[in-house]
């Protein structure tokens, strides 16, 4: 095999792939701006310590980490959340609340590469800091919906499954489990959809086999798919705390319904999220047909900023990945086709005419038009062919006869009509021919 290959799980973006990725980033950025979020960025290489015990065992095992030449233990970022907590933590006192931030960037996880899972992928992250109430969840879930609907995807294409680690902890405590057991059990619940009963094996090894009755009650909670069912299963444990939490649930679902987004969201307690830092509402977005991995995931993480050594600041957010989003757009025929046609192609007679053409080409480009020309002398007829094949709208013809008369010929390549314009009128004539503004 000749040459080198890229590493497994890393992508190359040829122009067509790149334009698809740009389309995805553009829709995400437009959505975030419409929702009043501000963009930030941060380093891709971070101290290893930032992720140890903060992100959870699964991500820790997937880190691209090494010791740098200065002896520092470092890791390529597997996610944005710990980093953005540091950024916000550093400036918390000076930032106006609520803090609504977003970013688009590349992340790295040493996963087994498979459909929808790579080792380098892009995420759009959006987070709100400084708002403890469920109003922040409404805003973020609505933004997540817009980030997918912005491509033309509908409620028949994707679904947001909303769950609550707070209520899970409340319920498991009521069943008699302590905090360590509850955390371990949530790990098992996170794997249950994929593994079935085997998911409980790790829990049993560490904490003993779950009593049949407890397991049955855990599975009953996991299968809940509506707010009335959630209220019903929790009725025996009535308390002020529970009542307040259920009021939060009604607020989130009510807020989203008022925005007309109810059909995009379903209550689903099977979602608990693998990352260790989530404390309250958690949610994931899935393709409705269900053959892709998660499109997005997020939730509330009220303790993380404090655990990193900064102020106590409530936080909630999510990330969407570009890999599954790209696959879904392709499946639904919503990936854009690659358009890279010049507005204008300059057809140049020969070396003598080149200087005159260059002056106009440069002026047109400065005005924002996309202009191309043959780098080397090419036969006249061939240049028209190149212009047509490139999809150019106009040809500007710089022949010896035209220049001798002080004019340039403009040919509309769609209907082949031609007219001559004085040399100093070229930019104006192009603007007229192309309909006023630069696209
Ligand atoms: P996450 O669920 O680990 O959450 O990742 C979010 C999304 O990133 C996934 O749903 C998936 O689309 C994409 N993704 C993750 N790993 C890969 C991979 N190996 N290949 C391709 N795509 C991948 C987080 O990262 C949280 N930090 C999100 C968050 C932000 N929570 C609060 N704020």
């Amino acid at each position: 095999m000749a040459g080198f290959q890229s590493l497994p799980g890393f992508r190359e973006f040829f122009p067509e792939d790149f334009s698809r990725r740009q389309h995805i980033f553009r829709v995400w950025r437009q959505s975030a701006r419409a929702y009043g979020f501000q963009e930030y960025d941060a380093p891709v290489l971070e101290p290893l310590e930032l992720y140890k015990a903060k992100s959870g065992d699964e991500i820790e095992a997937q880190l691209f980490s090494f010791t740098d030449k200065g002896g520092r233990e470092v890791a390529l970022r597997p996610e944005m959340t710990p980093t953005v907590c540091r950024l916000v933590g550093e400036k918390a006192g000076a930032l106006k609340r609520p803090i609504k931030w977003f970013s688009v960037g590349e992340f790295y996880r040493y996963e087994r590469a498979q459909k929808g899972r790579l080792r380098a992928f892009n995420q759009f992250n959006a987070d709100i800091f400084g708002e403890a109430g469920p109003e922040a969840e409404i805003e973020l879930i609505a933004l997540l919906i817009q980030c997918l609907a912005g491509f033309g995807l509908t409620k028949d294409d994707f679904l947001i499954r909303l769950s609550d680690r707070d209520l899970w902890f409340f319920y498991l405590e009521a069943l008699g489990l302590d905090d360590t057991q509850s955390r371990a059990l949530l790990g098992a619940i996170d794997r249950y959809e994929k593994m079935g009963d085997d998911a409980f094996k790790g829990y049993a090894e560490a904490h003993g086999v779950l009593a049949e009755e407890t397991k049955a009650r855990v599975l009953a909670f996991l299968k809940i798919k509506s707010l009335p069912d959630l209220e019903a299963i929790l009725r025996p444990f009535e308390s002020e705390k529970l009542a307040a939490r259920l009021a939060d649930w009604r607020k989130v679902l009510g807020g989203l319904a008022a925005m007309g987004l109810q059909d995009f969201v379903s209550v689903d307690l099977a979602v608990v999220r693998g990352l260790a830092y989530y404390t309250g509402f958690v949610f994931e977005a899935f393709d409705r047909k269900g053959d892709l991995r998660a499109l997005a995931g997020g939730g509330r993480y009220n303790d993380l900023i404090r655990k990193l050594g900064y102020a106590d600041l409530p936080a909630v957010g999510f990330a969407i990945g570009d890999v599954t989003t790209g696959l879904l757009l392709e499946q639904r025929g919503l990936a854009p086709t690659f358009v890279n046609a010049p507005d204008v192609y300059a057809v140049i007679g020969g070396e003598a005419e080149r200087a005159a053409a260059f002056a106009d080409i440069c002026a047109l480009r400065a005005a924002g038009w996309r202009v191309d020309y043959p780098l080397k002398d090419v036969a006249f007829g061939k240049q028209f062919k190149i212009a047509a094949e490139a999809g150019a709208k106009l040809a500007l013809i710089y022949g010896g006869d035209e220049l001798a008369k002080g004019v340039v010929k403009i040919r509309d390549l769609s209907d082949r009509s031609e007219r001559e314009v004085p040399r100093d009128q070229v930019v104006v004539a192009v603007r007229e021919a192309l309909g006023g503004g630069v696209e």
Side-chain angles (χ1 to χ4, degrees):
M1 196 191 329
F4 298 96
Q5 281 194 309
S6 63
L7 292 167
F10 284 74
R11 286 171 293 174
E12 289 157 322
F13 292 89
F14 287 88
E16 196 161 336
D17 310 314
F18 190 86
S19 75
R20 291 219 179 93
R21 189 180 86 178
Q22 281 303 89
H23 173 63
I24 293 176
F25 288 3
R26 195 162 42 237
V27 168
W28 287 346
R29 285 199 163 98
Q30 276 167 358
S31 307
R33 292 209 186 97
Y35 275 72
F37 283 64
Q38 287 183 289
E39 188 163 4
Y40 66 93
D41 202 1
V44 295
L45 195 64
E46 289 277 31
L48 176 63
E49 203 51 37
L50 190 62
Y51 307 110
K52 282 210 153 171
K54 304 288 188 321
S55 296
D57 298 343
E58 192 177 307
I59 281 209
E60 210 182 310
Q62 296 169 344
L63 284 174
F64 270 91
S65 56
F66 57 95
T67 309
D68 78 2
K69 288 178 183 169
R72 295 174 202 90
E73 295 286 323
V74 296
L76 284 170
R77 60 185 185 188
E79 58 159 335
M80 191 56 116
T81 312
T83 300
V84 71
C85 283
R86 185 187 64 219
L87 263 67
V88 168
E90 277 170 9
K91 295 249 161 80
L95 297 169
K96 284 212 176 66
R97 316 274 171 90
I99 302 155
K100 294 164 63 171
W101 281 10
F102 81 97
S103 68
V104 178
E106 193 167 46
F107 297 86
Y108 310 88
R109 294 184 195 177
Y110 201 88
E111 296 207 50
R112 203 162 55 80
Q114 48 188 301
K115 195 175 169 205
R117 287 283 124 157
L118 297 174
R119 291 184 177 164
F121 54 96
N122 294 288
Q123 276 187 349
F124 165 89
N125 275 259
D127 295 87
I128 297 183
F129 304 90
E131 176 50 64
E135 295 78 6
E137 273 83 349
I138 299 174
E139 184 79 338
L140 279 162
I141 294 170
L143 171 58
L144 171 52
I145 294 168
Q146 180 55 41
C147 281
L148 291 163
F151 296 110
L153 294 165
T154 68
K155 64 180 172 49
D156 300 324
D157 296 311
F158 72 92
L159 176 71
I160 305 206
R161 301 163 71 192
L162 179 63
S163 180
D164 187 351
R165 276 172 76 103
D166 208 19
L167 279 185
W168 262 110
F169 278 115
F170 177 88
Y171 183 71
L172 295 178
E173 193 187 327
L175 298 184
L177 279 86
D178 67 24
D179 191 65
T180 326
Q181 289 170 323
S182 296
R183 279 179 193 282
L185 197 53
L186 286 183
I189 292 160
D190 184 42
R191 291 185 286 275
Y192 185 75
E193 279 193 336
K194 257 186 249 155
M195 300 171 63
D197 269 358
D198 282 352
F200 291 103
K201 274 191 185 153
Y203 177 87
E205 277 161 25
H207 302 279
V209 178
L210 267 187
E212 269 314 309
E213 201 206 318
T214 311
K215 188 171 159 193
R217 296 179 84 169
V218 165
L219 291 181
F221 202 69
L222 184 152
K223 294 197 172 113
I224 287 178
K225 298 246 184 309
S226 76
L227 188 56
D229 287 351
L230 185 60
E231 287 168 333
I233 204 168
L234 291 166
R235 200 153 293 134
F237 313 109
E238 238 165 81
S239 72
E240 238 174 70
K241 190 177 157 207
L242 177 61
R245 191 60 183 155
L246 290 172
D248 285 349
W249 265 90
R250 283 190 288 274
K251 199 163 210 178
V252 172
L253 295 175
L256 291 168
M259 291 177 173
L261 301 175
Q262 64 280 0
D263 295 341
F264 289 97
V265 185
S266 79
V267 176
D268 194 334
L269 274 290
V271 170
V272 294
R273 305 278 294 142
L275 293 158
Y277 45 67
Y278 291 114
T279 55
F281 283 110
V282 283
F283 47 93
E284 286 187 340
F286 285 91
D287 133 48
R288 282 260 188 197
K289 297 219 170 102
D291 53 5
L292 292 176
R293 292 164 155 269
L295 296 160
R300 187 165 275 281
Y301 49 103
N302 282 348
D303 302 336
L304 188 55
I305 301 182
R306 180 175 45 78
K307 283 191 176 151
L308 290 171
Y310 301 100
D312 208 355
L313 200 63
V316 51
F318 70 84
I320 320 187
D322 71 326
V323 182
T324 34
T325 302
L327 286 170
L328 182 61
L329 295 182
E330 232 159 81
Q331 281 184 8
R332 300 292 193 278
L334 291 169
T337 41
F338 181 54
V339 183
N340 192 22
D343 298 307
V344 176
Y345 194 88
V347 173
I348 303 171
E351 232 10 80
E353 290 77 28
R354 205 164 260 272
F358 271 10
D360 290 348
I361 288 168
C362 202
L364 285 167
R365 285 173 167 174
W369 303 107
R370 193 185 298 196
V371 184
D372 225 336
Y373 66 93
L375 291 180
K376 285 271 168 55
D377 276 352
V378 177
F380 228 57
K382 179 120 190 266
Q383 291 185 53
F384 285 108
K385 199 163 164 244
I386 295 171
E389 277 171 6
K393 295 171 197 133
L394 295 181
L396 289 187
I397 303 161
Y398 293 86
D401 295 349
E402 283 84 10
L403 292 186
K405 285 197 280 177
V407 300
V408 176
K409 207 180 269 168
I410 297 190
R411 180 186 290 189
D412 185 325
L413 290 170
S414 56
D415 61 10
R416 296 177 159 255
S417 60
E418 282 185 351
R419 70 188 175 104
E420 288 181 346
V421 296
R423 284 276 327 273
D424 61 358
Q425 295 293 308
V426 169
V427 175
V428 176
V430 165
R431 185 173 299 131
E432 272 167 18
L434 291 177
V438 173
E439 280 164 35

